[in-house]
Structure formats: structure tokens, C-alpha cells
Amino acid sequence: MTSKRKRAMGGANWSLFVLLLIALFIIINYLSFRHFKTYDTTFSDEFSLSPQTKKFLKELKNDVEVYVLLPIGDVGYEKVSRLLDSFKVESKRIKVEYVDPERDKGRYEILLKKYQVTNPDSVVFVSGDRSRWVERDEFLEYEYSMFGEPPKMKGFKGENSFLNAMYDVVDPRKPVIYFTVGHGEKFDFDESGKGASFFKERLSKEGAVIKTLQTAGLKKVPDDASLVIVAGLNIPFTKEEEGVLERYYEEGGSLFLLIDPMFKEGNEIEFKDSGLEDLCKKYGLELQNDLVVDPEASLLEGRAQTFYGVDYSSHKITYDLMKNKYPILFTLARSLNIVDPQSSDFKCEKLISTSEKAWGETNLKELKNVKKDNEDYAGPLCLASLIENRKNEKSRMVVIGDSDIISDGTILSGLGGNTIFALNVVHYLVKMENRISIPPKQIKSSSIVLTSTQIVTNFIVVVIIYPLIFAILGVWVYFRRRR
Amino acid sequence: MNKLLAITKKELLHYFYSPMAYVVLWAFLLINGFLFYVILSALSKTASPPVSPLSIIFGGSFFFYLLTIVITVVVTMRLGAEERKQGTFETLLTSPISDFEIVMGKFLAAFIFYVVAWLFTLIYVFIVKAYQKDLDFGPIISSYLGTLLLGMFFISIGLFSSMISKNQIVSAVIATLIMTMLLGITFLEFISSGVTREIFHYFDILTIMDNFSKGIVDSRNLIYLLSGTAFFIALSEKSLEARRWQ
């Protein structure tokens, strides 16, 4: 064989080898691109999905198309794409398309029009002919500076909002929620913007149909009711109205009672009944006439009647709040006392309690100088309770000694726990537990602050001494070799 | 296996009996140390963003890639080119050692040197731990894993360049070019869209290192870095085989 031919053969052999190697590399990486797994090594499971999201994705029977309408450099882009990647790991039915508003302008405009998206930076979920879009404020939490600095991303709540959006497009059930009226309720659910608009909007956004229920003269709760909410009474319920709620509950209905301490009108402040005391007592829960004061968990010094609930049970309603230490803000609350029910078919379970230092103030005459005394109820006090009906498991009831937990003011002053808790209660009561809210993932502040002395010490150690050791070693090796 | 380890030992002795290894380690720790000091000083200011100093060290700055390229190029550029220049390759090729053992022996030696260099950066972890009691070790472990895998990939590129080059400078230039091109995928990803962008995203080393530094170990990243390493090792072996028949 001539050397020219030998070289040509060698060249062909080389080219074939390189081509095969490239083909193998592409096949391996294509398979890895299609079938992948991610492992979260953070101790706090920062990048892991909650069990309910995993369960939902694993059981997904319909395809869900996701359109990410965010520019690549957007502050939430990376978090969104990471989360959607985790969704894809759990289910092959999730199809994701990223559409940059600047670069894919045509496609972006078509999608905005097709799915009637009015907010430009959104993520759209589509299944069959149903679609739901989630705007940026629903998946990002910001911290605003008072000094004119740009807002910082504080938390990422994409898992919760995306999961709920997917529920909406694959499960079109719409629970009907009735709010009672006619008792001077402080929230007007017929009109928006009256005291509890955030809560109402969240319920509507999650697919609930909100209606009001005039209980005066009512014989029966409407058949379409998935839940009846009694919140912020000023005028007590009559015996007949109480009876309507009792029958509704015992026949498999769901009740959510948010009952503040109520006061008589007149010169001297005195407690009055809400008209629902007998109903609650029948099932083993006493509505105590007191004002809860918790100096240890108060929001502001000197205003111990506004405080955070600190002790949560491990029930699924409060489990994630407990795990993520999300506080729920109460203001002017009454305590609840678990007593023996009339029938062993009912059982009360504490959901939230105060600290041990709290007490239930019973003397309204000395409100300007409140202090714990013998007549007061001693802490820890129950603030929210769940009533189970063993005879009819469809019957569900949650009682809270404060209606302000759903007010706009409290939701805005709190740390996010109130909305999550109230929505969790509603999801549980309308038998849609799989929609229990997942608290946002906080963006961890892991920076460290050093004093100037510590900074100088670090400089000497890591920049001078430490590398110098290797320089000395090098010099030593050099002279040793010369010898 | 013994022959492979003998080659590894020979190369390692060559590294550590030469003052050059210590100059490289000194420069590596000086730059990393200075970077660490700058990061700590910057993060100690009240208006600084809440970022972990270690995530910047591992893939969060330009210096990480610069150091990785420099150290992998320096430790690999002489592996093949130097043997050819000194004429010791012929002796090696006529000995009863397979091409695979030669290539893997050299690769292993360069990788051990790289691992040793990064092990010395553990001092930064101890320093951060001293100031931050609730330090999460998960992302630190994954950062080291990512750094080692990236090192393997770059060393295999350096080894291949050295095997096909006649002198060390050419080898260093080729290796640096390939590594820079791989890092340039970030730019291609930025200017593309749709499926093309997804493909570039898959191969983007900056994204891969960002995952590792945050504590995410993604099978796609592992497969890419490992298959890339295997690809260049196979090419190196083939170049050695071609040289045998020249």
C-alpha cells in the first residue's frame, strides 16, 4: 500500500470514527434531554415540589400546555422555568413553550389574543378548550424599599398559583359559596371592595361562585351550596336561622363560622351572644365571651389584642403553615373552649392556639388597663377549631373566634399566612383538599455581614498567608531539584 | 490497571516535583482568595443582595471560568505535546501499554491535580461556616460536584488538544478556543428562540454551573458533562492510535 493511500485510508477511518462518536454523543444527550431527573440537595428542599403537586402531576390524565410569556431577562424567568422543569419531570403531559414578548412578537400577540390575556407578563395554562393565565404578581412576591431602591424579589409562590391554574383547566368544578347577610355583617360580598375584597377575589379566581344568603325567613339552605360562610356578625342569629344552619350541617353541608366577640349597645360595654352559641356547644365547642390578649405574640407593643397565632395543629389545613412557620394575624378575637359534645358522633379539634402567656380578658370595664386576673381565661387559648361529624363525614365545620383574619386590613398587615389559612379552610370545607394552598418559597437571605476587622483578617489569611504557603513550597522544590 | 496507575503516578510526580505546580497553585489560590475577600466585603454592605458568597465562587463570576480554563489548560498542555517534543512518545508507544491506558493515566493525573487545587478552597467553606451558623451544605456539595465534573470535561478537551498538537502553546490555544466556544453557547442561547434556544440552554455551561451552585443536581447536566468527557477522551485515544500508525 502506498503511503498516500495509507494516509487516505487513515483519514477516512478518522472521519468515520468522529462521525460515529458525534452520533453517539447526540443520541445520549437527546435521550437525557427527553428523560431527566433533578435532585434537590438543599437541606430545606428549596427546589422540591410539595407532595400534593407531585400527586396532581402524576395523576394528570389530560395534556396541559403552558405558555411562558416572559422576557428571558425577567426577574422571575429563571424560577418559573426551573419550576416548570420540575413539573415536566413528574408528568409527560406538561408541554412548555417559552415565548419572548420582544423576540417572538407575532406568536406572543397571537397567544395574548387567543387566551384573552390582559396582563403582558403572564404564564398561560391550557387544557382542551379551557385556559387560565397567571399574572406575575400571583407568582412573585416583592419587598418594596422606602428609599427609592427597585423592589426586591422576596418570595416565589409559583408552585401554588400554577397548581391552582392547572386544577382550573383540568377540573372545571365550581363550588358555590354563600355568605350570610342580614346580621350587619361587616363584609359586603354583594359589592366588591367592602372590607374583604382580597379574599373574595382569591375565591373567585380559584373558580368559586360567590353568592349571598339572606337567612331571615329561610327554611333551607339552597341545594347548590357547597359552603356557607358566616363572617363578621353584628346582629345575632335567631333560633330559626340557627336551626337552618344546624340542619344544613347535619345533612352533610359545610359551615365556616368566623365569629368575633360581640358587644351590647349602651353606655356600659358588655358582651352579647351571636345566636350561634347553642349550635357550637351541641358539637362540643363553647364560644367564650372574652377578648384575647397575647403580649408575647403581639404585632405592636402595647396593642396585645392584635397578635399572631403561634401554635398550629398538624391537620392538613395548617400543616404547611406550621412547617413553613407562616404566622396568622388575629385582631380582637374571642377564644373557643372545647367541651363535651351532646353526642359522641361529634369531635372538636384545635387548629390554632395562642401562646401560654395569652389570656381571655372578660372584664370590659378596664380595657384601658388590661391585665390578667382570676376571672380571665388562662392561655393557651384555642382560636380556631374543626368539628368532625363521625355519623356523616360529608358534614364539615370550622369555627374561628375572629372574622378579621379575612379582612383586607389584616391580610395587608400580615405576613401572608391569613390568606393561605382562609383558603385552606375553604378548600377543605368544599371537599377540594387537593387545592390546599402551598406557602410561597422565601428567597433565602444567606448573605453574611462582617466587621471591618474580620474583613481585614480574612484578607491576611486567604489572600496573603494561604497562597504564600504554596509559593514557599515551590521555592523549596526548586532549590531541592537544583541540589 | 497497574500500567494505567503507573502512568498516573509518573505524571503526578512530574507535576509535584516541578516548581510550576506550586506556582499554579499559588496563583489559583491567590486569585480565588482575592475574589473571596472581595465578595465578603461586598456582601457585608447593608444594601447588598442576599447571595451566598460560595455560589459566586462556584460559577457565579467570570473568574471561576477563567481559573478553570487556565488550570485545566496548564495541567494538560504538556501531556502529549511535551512527550512528542522530547521524543519520549515513541518509547511509550512501543511499550506494552494500550492507548487507553496511556490516555486514561494522563487524564487521571491531570484530574487529581485539579481536584487537589479545588480541595484547598475548602478553607472558604470553613470561613463562611464560622460566620453563618445555618449554612446549607447541600449546595456546597453540589457546587464541588459541578466543579469537578466541569474540570473532567475541560481536562479531556485539554488532553485531546495536547494529543493533536506538536507543541504546548498550540495545544493551549486549541484547548482555550474549544472551552471558550463552549462557554459562548450562553450568548447563542440569549440571541436564539424556540427549540434552538432550548438546545443551547441544554449545553449552556453557565446554566449548568448555576444549577450546581444552587444545590440542584440535574441528570441532564451530569450526562452532558460526562458524555462530553467521554467524547474527548475517545478522540484523544484515537489520535494516539493514529500517531502509532504514522
Side-chain angles (χ1 to χ4, degrees), chain B residues 24-81:
Chain B
V24 170
L25 285 175
W26 169 77
F28 176 76
L29 291 169
L30 182 75
I31 297 171
N32 253 336
F34 187 72
L35 180 64
F36 182 67
Y37 156 75
V38 170
I39 294 164
L40 280 189
S41 311
L43 292 181
S44 290
K45 287 176 187 158
T46 48
S48 63
V51 183
S52 161
L54 294 166
S55 74
I56 303 176
I57 295 271
F58 293 103
S61 81
F62 159 78
F63 290 100
F64 170 79
Y65 300 101
L66 180 75
L67 283 172
T68 309
I69 290 178
V70 169
I71 198 164
T72 51
V73 166
V74 168
V75 297
T76 53
M77 64 185 192
R78 49 157 291 279
L79 288 176

Side-chain angles (χ1 to χ4, degrees), chain B residues 31 34 37 39 51 76 82 90 92 106 115 146 187 191 202-203 207-208 211 213 239:
Chain B
I31 297 171
F34 187 72
Y37 156 75
I39 294 164
V51 183
T76 53
E82 181 77 358
E90 281 64 34
L92 200 61
K106 286 176 181 289
V115 172
F187 174 70
I191 58 166
Y202 178 91
F203 292 112
T207 306
I208 292 171
N211 281 345
S213 71
S239 348

